[in-house]
Amino acid sequence: MYKILKKRVLNPTVTLMDIEAPMVARKAEPGQFIILRTDEDGERIPLTIADYDREKGTVTIIFQIVGATTLRLNQLEEGDFIQDFVGPLGRPTHTEGLKKVAVVGGGVGCAIAYPVAKKLHEKGVEVHAIVGFRNKDLVILEDEFEAASSKLVLMTDDGSYGKKGLVTDALKELILSGEEYDEVITIGPLIMMKFVCALTKEYGIKTVASMNPIMVDGTGMCGGCRLTVGGKTKFACVDGPEFDGHEIDFDEAMARSITYKDFERHAYEETCNLFKMEVK
Amino acid sequence: MPNMSMVKNEMPSQEPDVRNKNFLEVALGYTEEQAISEAQRCLNCKHKPCVSGCPVQIDIPAFIQKVAEGEFEEAYKIISKSSSLPAVCGRVCPQETQCECKCVRGIKGEPVAIGRLERFVADYHNAHSTEKAEKPVSNGHKAAIIGSGPSGLACAGDLAKKGYDVTIFEALHLAGGVLVYGIPEFRLPKSIVQKEIDGLKDLGVKIETNMVIGKTVSIDELMDEFGFETVFIGSGAGLPRFMNIPGENLKGVYSANEFLTRINLMKAYKPDSTTPVQHGKKVVVVGGGNVAMDAARSAKRLGADVYIVYRRTEKELPARAEEVEHAKEEGINFCMLTNPIEINGKDGWVSNVHCQVMELSEPDESGRAKPVPKEGCTVDIETDCVIMSIGTSPNPLIKSTTEGLETQKWGGIIVDEETGLTSREGVYAGGDAVTGAATVILAMGAGKTAAKAMDEYMQSKANA
């Protein structure tokens, strides 16, 4: 059992938790992920590591409430326990030899982009952070990004905060203004990453995208997380989760990501009803 | 006077048309009377040919004599001298190619039902014994076991009985390995696996779940920082193979591992499960091994019309005859000499499998007749779910994080056959991680072999 030491609501649908998991914290690196089960009989879900503290033995996760399991997770409070918490899984973000990087995050993906930006910043890499949200209410980690970058561009779809527009607009503007990046690292919704990669391909800038497909075990056993990268089948859990963004078949990834959409919507509603009944 | 019936006492089983709609165990097990009657068929041969067919050399005639005398607990004691998992092996061992194929009674008629008797004895013990295994006195030496499948459990059990401080590290949230994620409930109830694991815990074995060796900790850390003198790698062959044909990544295409893991480990067959699995209407299972049969029979139980597609003929099916028989009884369709070459989809979901019709030619390196395409002959099978069951390879996680650990080109860990010793001092391996996908009993045997060598190694080091 793994204790929740801290819980912070970042916005109405996104929550941060520090989990006591010293064995995971020992080895965790930005870009890696964990798998958790909230309770016995729970589903296994992968979540990317948002931060870690080796001394305290904690791992930070940030999750959006999208389905039954994240809804259940969000019902837990500080001092409560999570049944299973395993990791760190996947390969860490490659940070060697980089001098200037644009980190492009979207929505809750910013939670994963942040530790990458932080690590690069700490290593003396010049980091430009471009983060996008649907609107002002959904903005997360603004101060953290501010501290981990030399330039922060915050975008909202509706212009209610920061600049109005998409992260691709901001990235294009920076590229056109003469900024030269060794690499672009992008983490967020598949559709956003697809367009970021299309843009950088145009300008010939190497781009890494962090994938978060459906998984069961996270150790290479089920193959449910497979993607086509450069015409070859890869497992996100052991070969990734980061891949060359110009080689990923995003359309296939998007199709696969909604395999259980109906099941999940149903499970989410059932769980909601359950909680409503408990409240009554 | 021996029972001279030419045929085995029949195994009471659920009716095919009933069991193909539920996940309860198919075979129900002998009654005491049936077990005694079957045991009386054994001629108690002096030269014990059956024992030579058993990978762990259980003294088969001796335990069967005890069954014939109604001394079931005594029979159990004899089996457990050689086997760590009798309730499991009695159910999943391919006895027809091991002990039973050597049985003298099999020359004219059917061999003695050794597997069914083993199962009976183990189940009798589990149901009646209140005796808790006594925790042996600790000898202070620490051994780590990676993986809680059959090889790891056997290795852990033997070492614990000798007084070693044994810790099993399991990557998943539940111990049992392939016994819990792979083999379905209807063939091996999970409560039986749990009973075996509880028995190990009584012996003092510690089980650490959620520990991915190679990620959470490495083998070097286990030995250098955590004080384990020896390590046994029993990480299995968990990496699923795909055919690398177009359309394999369409929605509705599973590896057998994923399909079975969702159903077995994650209980997706239960209506209230939080883990989804597709309930296909018409399911195509590609492959002909035991895993293919398990996947097909599971899909059937979820309500599908199921087709097994295999590129050779029924004669070459690698699955146990009994499994094929059960599958047929349950209404699974077999499409032989058929090989998928493309999977087509509609709206991102699989819609049909385009197959090449095959014919058999000369035997290949494996000794089996080689299937070759029949010119100009293809067939399309409509489907909404495809399960790829064409084999697995050893997981590379440990190899890639353990320096100096030598493996075969295909990933199997190289060991000394007599001891299970790898290219690293103090590190042993066995089971599917070494051999590639094989049987539970072979893995168990390898775990026992390694346990003996690990004991000798630690003792010689202690006495040096």
Side-chain angles (χ1 to χ4, degrees), chain A residues 27 44 84 221-222 226 260, chain B residues 210 221 248 254-255 257:
Chain A
K27 286 282 190 74
R44 292 172 68 95
D84 296 294
M221 209 183 82
C222 79
R226 63 195 187 275
Y260 300 107
Chain B
N210 296 327
E221 286 170 312
E248 232 172 355
Y254 288 95
S255 70
N257 256 7

Side-chain angles (χ1 to χ4, degrees), chain A residues 132-261:
Chain A
F133 303 93
R134 283 214 312 279
N135 60 53
K136 183 171 188 267
D137 295 338
L138 301 178
V139 172
I140 56 168
L141 302 174
E142 187 186 358
D143 296 342
E144 284 85 347
F145 273 108
E146 187 75 61
S149 62
S150 58
K151 188 192 277 284
L152 170 65
V153 186
L154 200 152
M155 309 291 291
T156 52
D157 293 3
D158 65 355
S160 55
Y161 194 65
K163 279 170 84 174
K164 182 174 161 63
L166 304 172
V167 288
T168 38
D169 302 334
L171 180 61
K172 189 170 181 177
E173 208 180 300
L174 285 170
I175 294 169
L176 289 178
S177 74
E179 301 286 359
E180 288 184 11
Y181 301 112
D182 304 333
E183 193 171 299
V184 171
I185 299 174
T186 180
I187 305 164
L190 288 166
I191 188 78
M192 180 202 92
M193 293 196 286
K194 177 183 170 178
F195 283 105
V196 168
C197 293
L199 176 72
T200 56
K201 194 168 186 181
E202 219 177 287
Y203 293 97
I205 308 167
K206 189 186 171 205
T207 302
V208 169
S210 176
M211 306 298 280
N212 188 17
I214 294 168
M215 272 181 205
V216 184
D217 61 293
T219 63
M221 209 183 82
C222 79
C225 66
R226 63 195 187 275
L227 307 158
T228 303
V229 182
K232 290 200 175 95
T233 293
K234 298 276 179 191
F235 290 1
C237 65
V238 285
D239 301 321
E242 295 180 354
F243 295 98
D244 180 342
H246 298 154
E247 300 282 342
I248 298 169
D249 183 340
F250 279 105
D251 293 333
E252 181 187 273
M254 282 189 267
R256 287 185 65 79
S257 71
I258 54 167
T259 304
Y260 300 107
K261 205 170 115 194

